[in-house]
């Protein structure tokens, strides 16, 4: 393919993507394909001769598109968002076009330099403590990882290396193997599965501690577990605090966990994968009070900040612990610039890295802080609107409403809520998943797509209530003017949240 054919193919691909987003609302969010469908549509062997790019693009529409789950559909409300925007797509395109690999500063100086600046921009946008920023006078700094899963794992490995070094210095009789066999990590029973997986990969026991009725891990529960393990001869090493848990978007108590970790000399990692984006809005920063006591902090711009996957921002209070854990030098990686710029290969698992900072730069410049704040606040307002709708129907129980996530259930046995989810999924017009809150099955409804509007939430609620009608029929009741109020952010009519109380 020459440059002229690339121009034609590229323009056609951009048109295809633009058309896709203009029609995405009209597509069923879930596909109708069955496992193995693609094997019957593709030849058993690759083509011997090259084919036309037009034929390839046609087959994307004919073969690939029917098997796509439309994550950016306004009717996708499962899991958490995966961010997307056109500036980010262009950033990915240019990153792929440049094709550089950032294994050292000299391998592509702009790649390292832009990442340093972008991590400072992001940190300031969130209001992170200065000690975490590359521009601070201390040893802290930020780096772009692939995912929060990687960041949790990297934090665990750094904490493990740090603890082993410290104990071998103070107790020369101990061997490395003896120490590693006794190390323990801790998080809450509301943590993402990736936290538990980090323990498996890092060969460290991971204790998932009970949370309170709000889904939060508190200092007393952590201290109790530490005391138990120390009495058993184990060595507490690593704690993962959740700022926005996966099931309900609950916030662990950093102001209690931080002092416990600092007193016990335990690495505290903050996983703010989803909710961290909201801290660009000053009114939500109180939720990370205590972050200055952490050793590492992570959130995913690729979840809620309009940056396409993958782009996970991680900061550490002292980068030297990463370098000590991951540094392996070779003569072909040395250059005369050592010490003048971060060598990010020492801050991650892989040697090579992609130019992720480019798409982040595009998004921050084209949307600006105000545009991103508007996006976050708008999606939180949509979640609050849905929570009001849930409270208006006596068949439903509103469980939580936090950031852009609402959890609710049909009153009664879990089997009713389970049936509701099954029947909704069969229609393939709305994608929701289940969760647990205080040992009860709940429906998780996340505002995911940047395209979601009030009309899409109304569509969802009609689908939910019409399906519920087949399970728990109830007489319809018309709302009066007194039952309504104007939503302060959306400027839309929503159910009065005090209605049920007044009744």
């Amino acid at each position: 393919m020459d440059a002229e054919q690339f121009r034609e193919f590229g323009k056609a691909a951009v048109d295809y993507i633009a058309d896709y987003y203009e029609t995405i609302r009209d597509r069923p969010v879930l596909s109708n394909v069955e496992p193995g469908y693609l094997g019957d549509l593709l030849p058993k062997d690759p083509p011997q001769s090259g084919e036309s790019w037009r034929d390839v693009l046609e087959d994307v529409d004919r073969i690939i598109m029917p098997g796509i789950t439309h994550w950016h559909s306004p009717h996708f409300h499962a899991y958490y968002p995966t961010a997307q925007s056109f500036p980010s797509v262009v950033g990915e395109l240019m990153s792929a076009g440049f094709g550089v690999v950032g294994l050292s500063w000299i391998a592509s100086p702009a790649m390292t330099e832009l990442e340093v600046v972008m991590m400072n921009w992001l940190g300031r946008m969130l209001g992170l403590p200065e000690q975490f920023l590359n521009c601070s006078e201390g040893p802290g700094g930020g780096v772009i990882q692939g995912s929060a899963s990687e960041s949790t794992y990297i934090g665990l490995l750094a904490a493990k290396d740090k603890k082993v070094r410290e104990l071998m210095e103070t107790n020369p009789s101990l061997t490395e193997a003896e120490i590693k066999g006794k190390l323990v990590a801790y998080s809450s029973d509301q943590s993402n599965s990736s936290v538990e997986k980090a323990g498996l990969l890092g060969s460290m026991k991971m204790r998932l501690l009970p949370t309170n009725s709000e889904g939060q891990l508190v200092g007393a529960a952590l201290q109790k577990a530490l005391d138990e393990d120390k009495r058993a001869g184990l060595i507490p090493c690593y704690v993962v605090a959740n700022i926005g848990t996966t099931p309900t978007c609950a916030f662990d108590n950093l102001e209690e966990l931080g002092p416990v970790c600092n007193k016990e000399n335990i690495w505290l990692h903050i996983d703010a994968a989803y909710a961290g984006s909201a801290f660009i809005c000053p009114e939500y920063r109180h939720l990370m009070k205590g972050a200055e006591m952490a050793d590492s902090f992570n959130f995913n711009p690729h979840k809620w900040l309009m940056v396409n996957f993958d782009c996970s921002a991680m900061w550490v209070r002292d980068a030297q612990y990463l370098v000590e854990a991951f540094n392996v030098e070779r003569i072909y990686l040395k250059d005369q610039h050592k010490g003048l710029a971060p060598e990010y290969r020492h801050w991650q698992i892989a040697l090579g890295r992609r130019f992720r900072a480019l798409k982040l730069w595009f998004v921050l410049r084209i949307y600006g802080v105000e545009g991103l704040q508007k996006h976050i606040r708008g999606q939180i307002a949509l979640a609050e609107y849905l929570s009001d709708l849930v409270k208006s129907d006596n068949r439903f129980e509103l469980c939580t409403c936090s950031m852009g996530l609402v959890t609710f259930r049909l009153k009664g046995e879990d089997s009713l809520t389970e049936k509701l989810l099954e029947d909704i999924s069969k229609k393939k017009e709305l994608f929701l998943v289940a969760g647990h809150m205080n040992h009860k099955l709940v429906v998780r409804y996340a505002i995911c797509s940047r395209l979601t509007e009030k009309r899409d939430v109304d569509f969802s609620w009609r689908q939910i209530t019409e399906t519920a009608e087949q399970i728990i029929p109830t007489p319809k009741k018309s709302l009066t003017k007194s039952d309504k109020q104007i939503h302060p952010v959306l400027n839309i009519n929503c159910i009065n949240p005090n209605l049920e109380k007044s009744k």
Side-chain angles (χ1 to χ4, degrees), residues 6-309:
F6 170 65
R7 286 189 177 93
E8 294 175 355
F9 191 8
K11 290 173 184 176
V14 167
D15 285 341
Y16 186 93
I17 293 169
D19 290 343
Y20 170 69
Y21 279 97
E22 287 183 343
T23 60
I24 195 170
R25 184 176 271 103
D26 303 322
R27 302 170 185 260
V29 64
L30 292 170
S31 72
N32 287 307
V33 302
E34 297 293 335
Y37 90 99
L38 202 57
D40 297 329
L41 297 176
L42 293 176
K44 301 303 179 186
D45 298 300
Q48 293 298 312
S49 302
E51 301 180 57
S52 163
W53 65 260
R54 292 180 177 82
D55 292 338
V56 174
L57 195 56
E58 285 179 7
D59 279 352
V60 168
D61 200 55
R62 181 178 66 89
I63 297 173
I64 303 301
M65 190 54 67
I68 293 289
T69 295
H70 302 291
W71 279 68
H72 302 287
S73 165
H75 304 147
F76 183 103
H77 301 288
Y79 318 123
Y80 272 129
T82 181
Q84 185 277 341
S85 68
F86 293 137
S88 181
V89 171
V90 175
E92 283 277 33
L93 175 64
M94 298 195 76
S95 175
F98 297 152
V100 298
V101 180
L103 50 85
S104 65
W105 181 88
I106 197 64
S108 198
M111 187 171 170
T112 297
E113 302 272 337
L114 186 61
E115 187 161 336
V116 168
V117 176
M118 288 305 96
M119 291 304 293
N120 287 336
W121 280 16
L122 273 183
R124 289 198 172 105
M125 286 169 62
L126 267 62
L128 276 185
E130 191 77 12
Q131 65 206 40
F132 287 110
L133 304 186
N134 295 305
C135 55
S136 68
E137 294 184 2
V143 58
I144 300 177
Q145 306 287 0
S147 66
S149 306
E150 289 177 41
S151 297
T152 302
Y153 181 44
I154 287 168
L156 182 143
L157 294 179
K160 184 178 185 178
D161 183 79
K162 176 176 179 288
K163 182 64 72 173
V164 169
R165 290 174 185 268
E166 289 174 349
L167 291 178
M168 290 185 71
E169 286 179 6
T170 58
N171 300 277
S173 62
L174 291 175
T175 66
E176 184 175 334
E178 286 175 329
I179 296 170
K180 288 182 176 179
K182 295 180 179 180
L183 298 179
V184 187
Y186 307 83
S187 193
S188 87
D189 57 12
Q190 300 297 297
S191 292
N192 188 273
S193 62
S194 63
V195 175
E196 191 172 359
K197 187 174 183 178
L200 291 174
L201 294 174
S203 299
M204 189 182 299
K205 178 182 178 182
M206 177 71 69
R207 286 192 60 180
L208 301 181
L209 306 179
T211 52
N212 63 18
S213 61
E214 303 299 317
Q216 303 167 312
L217 179 63
V218 297
L222 175 60
Q223 188 66 64
K224 179 183 177 183
L226 299 180
D227 293 342
E228 290 172 353
D229 285 343
K230 287 191 294 183
R231 284 195 297 269
L234 301 176
I235 305 171
C237 178
Y238 185 58
V239 171
V240 179
N242 300 282
I243 301 301
T245 60
T246 300
T248 62
C249 198
F251 293 79
D252 290 344
N253 193 323
L254 295 179
E255 291 184 285
E256 292 182 5
L257 299 177
V260 173
C261 291
N262 290 175
K263 175 174 67 76
E264 300 283 354
N265 189 28
I266 299 171
W267 187 294
L268 175 60
H269 175 73
I270 296 176
D271 180 2
Y274 163 68
S277 294
F279 301 148
I280 68 170
C281 303
E283 63 267 30
Y284 298 115
R285 289 180 189 161
H286 67 278
L287 294 168
M288 65 169 177
K289 284 186 67 176
E292 69 279 358
M293 292 178 276
D295 294 277
S296 51
F297 181 100
N298 168 255
F299 91 104
N300 289 341
H302 70 230
K303 271 196 170 64
W304 209 9
L305 215 59
M306 312 287 266
V307 181
N308 287 56
F309 188 88

Side-chain angles (χ1 to χ4, degrees), residues 77 80-81 248-249 274 284 304 375-391 398 400-408 444-449 452-454 456-458 461 487 489-490 492 494-495:
H77 301 288
Y80 272 129
T248 62
C249 198
Y274 163 68
Y284 298 115
W304 209 9
H375 170 64
I376 297 290
R377 288 170 176 148
Q379 294 215 319
I380 291 174
L382 287 171
E384 291 171 350
Y385 172 56
L386 177 67
S387 74
D388 289 342
L389 293 174
V390 173
K391 287 187 285 188
L398 177 68
T400 62
C401 179
S402 178
M403 297 295 176
L405 176 68
V406 180
T407 66
F408 59 92
R444 292 179 73 264
Y445 185 105
I447 306 295
C448 292
S449 171
T452 305
E453 301 173 0
K454 174 187 174 289
D456 302 303
V457 178
D458 288 334
W461 188 239
H487 195 287
V489 178
L490 294 174
I492 52 178
C494 64
I495 308 303

